[in-house]
Amino acid sequence: LERLRGKLSRSRSTLGQGLLGLLGAGDLDEDSWTDVEDTLLMADLGAAVTDQVVTALRAQIVARGVRSSDDARALLREVLVDALHPEMDRSVHALPHSGKPAVVLVVGVNGVGKTTTTGKLARVLVADGRTVLLGAADTFRAAAAEQLATWGSRVGAETVRGAEGADPASVAFEAVKEGVAAGVDTVLVDTAGRLHTKTGLMDELGKVKRVVEKQAAVDEVLLVLDATTGQNGLTQAWVFAEVVDVTGIVLTKLDGTAKGGIVFQVQRELGVPVKLVGLGEGADHLAPFEPVAFVDALLG
Ligand code: GDP
C-alpha cells in the first residue's frame, strides 16, 4: 500500500485530499457540494460517476450524521469503492486450459504502453512458473519487435517475429501455431496499434483475431489505455470495443497523473473491468487492480 500511495501521489493530493478536506468539515453548503463535484470532474471521473458519487455522499452524510474527518473518510471509502464495482471479475485468464496455451491479445493505439505491458505481463507469468511465448505482431512500428524481443530475453520467453512490415495477422498466426506446437502455457500477442480509421482497425485487428482463432481460442483481449489521455483514451476504447470483444483493461501511466479517476469512468463506460494498472516504466511496475487498495491509496 505504501508503494501504491507513492505512485498515486498526484491523484491522492488532488482527488483524495481534496475530498477529505471538503467532507471533513461536516455540514456542507451548496458551494461546497459544487466543489466536491468539481474535484471529481477534474480527476476525470466523468459526469455519470460524479453524479452517482455526489448523490450517494449527500444522502449518506445526512443519514449517518457525519461529523468528524474519520467519519468522512469511512464514508468516502465506501462510496468510492462501490463506484469501482468491486464485484467485477478481474482475474487475467492467462492460465492454461486443457493442455492448450491460453492466448492473450494485447491491443491499443501506439504509444499507450502496449509493448511494455506485454513484456511486464510475461515477466509476471514466468515468475509464476508459466512458459510464455511472445508474438511480435506490431509490425508497423519499426522498433516494436526488437523491444518485445528484448523483454522476452530478459524475462525468459521466446519471441516470434516477422519481417518489418509483414502482415500482423501472419505473425500472430505463426506465434500461436508455435505456441501450440511447443506446448507453452501462454501466448501473449502484441498487436499493431494503428487507429487510422475504424474500418482499417477492423480489417487489421479483426483479421488478427480470426486467424489466431484458427489455432486456439482467444482467452483474453486486453485493451491498453494511457491514463493521462483522458477523454481521448475513452474514445479509443469505444472504437476497440466495437472491433473486438475486450475482456479487460490495462490502465498505464497512472504514476504521475492527477487524473486517476479515469479508472471509474472507463469501467462504467465500457462495462469492462480494469484488470491491471501500469505504475511506471520498470519491469515490476505492473500491478493487479484492486478497488479497495486503490481507494485506500487515494485517501491515505
Ligand atoms: P506501445 O507503442 O503502445 O507499444 O508503447 P510502449 O510500450 O513502447 O510504451 C511507450 C512509452 O510509455 C515507453 O516510454 C514506456 O516506457 C512508457 N510506459 C509504458 N507503461 C508505463 C507506465 O505504466 N508508466 C509510465 N510512467 N510509463 C509507461
Side-chain angles (χ1 to χ4, degrees):
L1 187 64
E2 263 321 298
R3 194 161 159 244
L4 189 58
R5 282 185 69 218
K7 292 290 178 191
L8 293 177
S9 62
R10 291 199 57 206
S11 289
R12 181 160 52 91
S13 55
T14 51
L15 180 60
Q17 301 301 327
L19 291 175
L20 285 169
L22 287 163
L23 266 78
D27 284 333
L28 273 74
D29 56 20
E30 280 312 310
D31 281 351
S32 304
W33 280 115
T34 305
D35 289 344
V36 170
E37 226 173 270
D38 288 348
T39 304
L40 295 167
L41 289 172
M42 294 279 285
D44 260 357
L45 275 86
V49 181
T50 294
D51 223 44
Q52 176 197 336
V53 167
V54 169
T55 305
L57 289 174
R58 289 190 83 134
Q60 290 296 319
I61 212 161
V62 178
R64 295 194 195 181
V66 168
R67 285 274 162 266
S68 68
S69 56
D70 280 350
D71 292 349
R73 181 185 299 271
L75 174 61
L76 269 171
R77 184 175 195 257
E78 205 176 299
V79 170
L80 291 177
V81 168
D82 191 50
L84 282 171
H85 299 278
E87 76 287 355
M88 279 179 160
D89 178 12
R90 287 167 214 280
S91 45
V92 176
H93 300 283
L95 304 179
H97 295 280
S98 59
K100 285 189 192 156
V103 176
V104 179
L105 301 186
V106 184
V107 308
V109 303
N110 279 338
V112 293
K114 209 159 28 67
T115 304
T116 308
T117 297
T118 310
K120 290 174 178 172
L121 184 55
R123 180 176 181 272
V124 171
L125 293 169
V126 170
D128 196 37
R130 323 258 152 214
T131 48
V132 176
L133 186 80
L134 298 172
D138 183 353
T139 55
F140 291 106
R141 187 159 66 85
E146 190 59 44
Q147 191 186 333
L148 191 66
T150 303
W151 273 101
S153 52
R154 201 195 299 171
V155 307
E158 281 209 38
T159 305
V160 172
R161 22 190 320 191
E164 204 179 308
D167 181 11
S170 75
V171 179
F173 181 84
E174 273 309 311
V176 176
K177 191 172 156 197
E178 280 195 28
V180 171
V184 299
D185 297 324
T186 310
V187 181
L188 299 178
V189 182
D190 182 21
T191 65
R194 293 198 308 175
L195 193 76
H196 35 304
T197 59
K198 195 162 93 190
T199 43
L201 180 79
M202 195 122 35
D203 287 350
E204 276 167 21
L205 192 55
K207 187 172 167 202
V208 165
K209 186 151 188 269
R210 276 196 311 279
V211 301
V212 162
E213 280 171 340
K214 291 184 178 158
Q215 300 282 342
V218 172
D219 297 274
E220 187 96 54
V221 179
L222 293 176
L223 172 63
V224 183
L225 295 175
D226 177 341
T228 64
T229 58
Q231 200 55 44
N232 224 334
L234 278 176
T235 309
Q236 291 163 19
W238 273 119
V239 176
F240 277 91
E242 281 181 46
V243 175
V244 281
D245 281 330
V246 175
T247 59
I249 294 158
V250 184
L251 212 51
T252 59
K253 310 185 196 182
L254 264 182
D255 53 304
T257 175
K259 307 224 168 218
I262 192 76
V263 176
F264 295 81
Q265 197 179 175
V266 71
Q267 286 196 154
R268 161 145 188 154
E269 294 275 317
L270 289 192
V272 172
V274 172
K275 293 189 169 180
L276 301 163
V277 289
L279 297 167
E281 299 188 89
D284 62 345
H285 290 153
L286 183 74
F289 178 67
E290 289 158 7
V292 174
F294 183 77
V295 169
D296 279 346
L298 284 181
L299 298 177

